[in-house]
Amino acid sequence: MEFHELDLSERLLLARRGTAYFAQRMAELSDTDFDSGTLLAAWTRRHLIAHVGYNAAALCRLLDWAATGIETPMYASAEQRAGEIDEGATLSPAALRNLFHHTAARLDEKWRHLPESAWTAEVRTAQGRVVPAAETVWMRVREVWIHAVDLADDGRFGDFPTVVLDSLLTDIVGMWRRKGLGTGLVLTVDDRAPIAVQENSPTTTRVSGPLAAVVRWAAGRGAIGLETHGDTVQPPAWL
């Protein structure tokens, strides 16, 4: 079953579980650990935690848009978003922890009180996609689960619920297809039928392994526990 086939209450639960998982990973870090790197080359843990906190605030703006009909973008611009993260990275560890918890609580409150009719209201993501407000739940699920691994503190794709992994793989492959990427790439998860990213192209590379390992690789977080045959490639860009 895919994420979007679940009841709204189940989708929200997965977002809350992911928030708790990220919080657990963050709680295991000492204040000095905040200065260390992450799986994202350009960011320290300070940048990453600031980003996840400000992402929740940005999603709150989309929910305000859905509830009021007044256009409220996630960010004023890509430059404003990047500057906000850089400035947030200068905060103290205590302030960064508070930022994460405060904005996560605000987002959860917005979800709890969003009028039923507003869940289908159309809003626009930072990438320019027009989506129903309900899509904010999946956007947050992706954010907290994947970035918990990016903290480089024992977070593992193997800890993700299966429905999240399946939906991430669908999301990633779908994005590659829309962008015309991944020509010749075939993914095989355990005993499932192979997935040809671009269905009419000759196979040049096969990547196979357990679901969590394939999703980790596809999301650009490294090849662990995989078998590859053919051309050695990095996964195409996703987001």
Side-chain angles (χ1 to χ4, degrees):
M1 177 176 288
E2 292 283 338
F3 181 85
H4 293 87
E5 297 174 327
L6 298 173
D7 290 339
L8 177 60
S9 61
E10 295 175 294
R11 285 178 271 154
L12 288 167
L13 178 60
L14 288 168
R16 290 164 184 147
R17 286 178 59 188
T19 298
Y21 186 72
F22 186 97
Q24 181 182 1
R25 303 277 75 76
M26 184 176 67
E28 292 174 354
L29 302 174
S30 68
D31 286 356
T32 56
D33 289 337
F34 276 46
D35 295 320
S36 297
T38 68
L39 297 188
L40 303 176
W43 280 357
T44 66
R45 286 168 170 157
R46 289 174 170 275
H47 291 86
L48 183 59
I49 292 167
H51 165 64
V52 174
Y54 290 133
N55 169 263
L59 292 177
C60 286
R61 290 191 281 273
L62 290 188
L63 294 172
D64 288 341
W65 181 349
T68 65
I70 300 172
E71 182 171 343
T72 315
M74 292 182 71
Y75 306 99
S77 66
E79 292 75 19
Q80 179 266 325
R81 173 182 176 273
E84 183 179 58
I85 293 169
D86 285 340
E87 184 175 348
T90 68
L91 296 173
S92 69
L96 284 167
R97 295 180 199 274
N98 183 66
L99 171 68
F100 170 79
H101 289 296
H102 176 70
T103 55
R106 275 185 55 210
L107 177 58
D108 196 66
E109 182 179 12
K110 296 282 187 185
W111 280 330
R112 290 179 185 277
H113 294 97
L114 191 69
E116 185 174 351
S117 59
W119 284 101
T120 56
E122 291 187 337
V123 295
R124 188 173 60 255
T125 72
Q127 290 77 34
R129 293 188 304 125
V130 176
V131 299
E135 184 72 5
T136 59
V137 185
W138 173 241
M139 293 165 67
R140 189 59 174 174
V141 164
R142 289 188 320 206
E143 194 81 13
V144 287
W145 284 105
I146 293 179
H147 284 327
V149 175
D150 290 335
L151 280 174
D153 180 56
D154 295 330
R156 302 181 309 115
F157 277 76
D159 292 336
F160 294 15
T162 299
V163 67
V164 172
L165 291 172
D166 280 331
S167 299
L168 281 171
L169 190 58
T170 297
D171 213 9
I172 293 169
V173 172
M175 186 68 72
W176 289 343
R177 287 173 174 165
R178 287 191 292 275
K179 293 181 176 180
L181 303 173
T183 300
L185 175 60
V186 174
L187 307 178
T188 302
V189 174
D190 297 325
D191 296 326
R192 301 183 188 182
I195 301 170
V197 176
Q198 300 297 341
E199 295 180 349
N200 296 321
S201 63
T203 301
T204 58
T205 303
R206 293 184 181 274
V207 176
S208 60
L211 176 61
V214 173
V215 174
R216 179 188 177 102
W217 178 84
R221 268 62 179 185
I224 298 176
L226 289 176
E227 291 185 10
T228 60
H229 301 278
D231 296 343
T232 301
V233 295
Q234 294 295 321
W238 170 37
L239 291 177

